[in-house]
């Protein structure tokens, strides 16, 4: 897997990569697991992924971003499986000559990943109960569901 | 090997998230009428588990790893993933 990982995301690894001398801007986004989802305390999030399709769609999105902006380095890493509160669930890093294109490309990638890539999260509370969201509501309340 | 006749095809169905819970399995083979579409498959799955109806209604369809319109024709051997609203990132 190139973009998905079951291991902790090492942001330092991205920082240690050699910088392209044409780039004057580096922008990164970290998606971090919060301690609450819809005002309910959680212990962790479980990410489920349709892996082959997710890998291909992320590769396509990176290709689209590189065609649209002059990017020289791009990294996308998304966790699969259990991610505890405080841990990084997704990393997006972009390097470009100028800040405008770096910010825009980074925003594009996270927005499109959230919209289209087949990844689902299930928040689990400290008692092990899976908090589920009504599938027909975009921003509705979570309801307590089965045990994890 | 699929068990298909002139009037039926066999597809591999993949389910995720809430749908997996409602249908009880994450993947299974299904023999359906030939010339079925994604819409027909959705109806068949809903009959199998009425509780899955709400999720099926808002789910997208992927055939062999590519998003497809709900009226896309299904072929023998297709891998059909029912994609509930995603929540990654």
């Amino acid at each position: 897997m190139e973009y998905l990982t079951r291991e902790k995301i090492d942001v330092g690894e991205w920082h240690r990569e050699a910088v392209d001398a044409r780039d004057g801007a580096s922008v990164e986004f970290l998606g971090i697991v919060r301690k609450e989802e819809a005002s309910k305390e959680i212990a962790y999030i479980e990410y489920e992924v349709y892996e082959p399709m997710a890998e291909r769609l992320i590769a396509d999105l990176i290709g689209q971003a590189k065609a649209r902006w002059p990017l020289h380095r791009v990294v996308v890493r998304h966790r699969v499986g259990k991610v505890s509160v405080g841990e990084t669930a997704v990393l997006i890093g972009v390097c470009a000559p100028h800040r405008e294109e770096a910010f825009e490309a980074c925003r594009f990638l996270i927005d499109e990943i959230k919209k289209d890539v087949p990844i689902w999260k299930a928040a689990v509370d400290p008692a092990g109960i899976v908090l589920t969201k009504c599938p027909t509501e975009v921003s509705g309340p979570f309801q307590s569901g089965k045990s994890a | 090997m699929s068990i298909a006749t002139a009037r039926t095809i066999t597809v591999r169905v993949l389910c995720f998230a809430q749908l997996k819970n409602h249908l009880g399995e994450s993947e299974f083979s299904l023999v359906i009428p030939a010339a079925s579409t994604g819409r027909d498959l959705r109806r068949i799955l809903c009959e199998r588990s009425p509780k899955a109806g709400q999720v099926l209604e808002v789910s997208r369809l992927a055939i062999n790893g590519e998003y497809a319109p709900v009226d896309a024709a299904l072929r023998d051997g297709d891998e059909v993933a029912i994609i509930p609203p995603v929540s990654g990132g």
Side-chain angles (χ1 to χ4, degrees):
Chain A
M1 295 192 295
E2 188 169 354
Y3 308 111
L4 306 172
T5 179
R6 286 181 170 77
E7 307 298 320
K8 285 190 179 180
I9 293 172
D10 179 4
V11 183
E13 188 181 345
W14 161 246
H15 293 162
R16 286 188 293 273
E17 280 188 27
V19 174
D20 190 307
R22 292 171 292 178
D23 291 333
S26 177
V27 172
E28 72 186 36
F29 169 81
L30 299 180
I32 301 163
V33 176
R34 293 184 301 269
K35 68 176 185 180
E36 284 184 357
E37 282 282 334
S39 305
K40 292 182 187 249
E41 186 187 357
I42 67 166
Y44 62 89
I45 284 180
E46 187 85 34
Y47 285 97
E48 182 183 6
V49 186
Y50 179 16
E51 292 181 17
M53 186 173 171
E55 282 277 333
R56 192 180 52 72
L57 284 183
I58 292 172
D60 285 351
L61 288 172
I62 291 172
Q64 288 179 43
K66 285 183 171 178
R68 194 164 158 185
W69 294 282
L71 310 177
H72 301 123
R73 285 201 306 142
V74 178
V75 67
V76 174
R77 290 281 185 277
H78 200 299
R79 289 281 299 274
V80 178
K82 179 178 170 179
V83 186
S84 299
V85 169
E87 287 189 3
T88 299
V90 60
L91 160 67
I92 295 172
V94 171
C95 293
H98 305 287
R99 70 183 185 282
E100 185 176 342
E101 48 235 11
F103 276 118
E104 287 178 358
C106 190
R107 183 71 194 241
F108 167 81
L109 285 168
I110 184 60
D111 284 353
E112 293 302 307
I113 284 170
K114 288 177 81 68
K115 199 167 57 169
D116 266 348
V117 177
I119 300 172
W120 299 269
K121 67 178 185 183
V124 182
D125 74 9
I129 305 293
V130 179
L131 305 176
T132 56
K133 192 170 190 178
C134 174
T136 58
E137 295 177 15
V138 174
S139 58
F142 276 78
Q143 299 157 359
S144 290
K146 298 191 269 192
S147 296
Chain B
M1 190 190 298
S2 65
I3 304 170
T5 66
R7 295 188 179 178
T8 63
I9 58 173
T10 302
V11 295
R12 187 114 192 105
V13 180
L14 303 183
C15 301
F16 301 91
Q18 315 96 315
L19 206 53
K20 186 174 65 180
N21 298 333
H22 290 314
L23 290 171
E25 297 177 271
S26 59
E27 55 182 283
F28 50 92
S29 288
L30 204 57
V31 180
I32 57 178
S36 289
T37 64
R39 194 183 298 278
D40 296 322
L41 175 64
R42 197 164 70 179
R43 179 182 46 76
I44 291 167
L45 292 175
C46 196
E47 286 169 4
R48 186 164 158 149
S49 170
K51 271 199 282 190
Q54 230 185 358
V55 182
L56 286 165
E57 199 58 38
V58 296
S59 293
R60 288 188 279 182
L61 187 75
I63 300 174
N64 301 323
E66 303 258 1
Y67 279 120
V70 72
D71 289 316
L74 301 178
R75 292 180 171 76
D76 187 56
D78 276 347
E79 178 178 276
V80 187
I82 314 297
I83 310 284
V86 299
S87 52

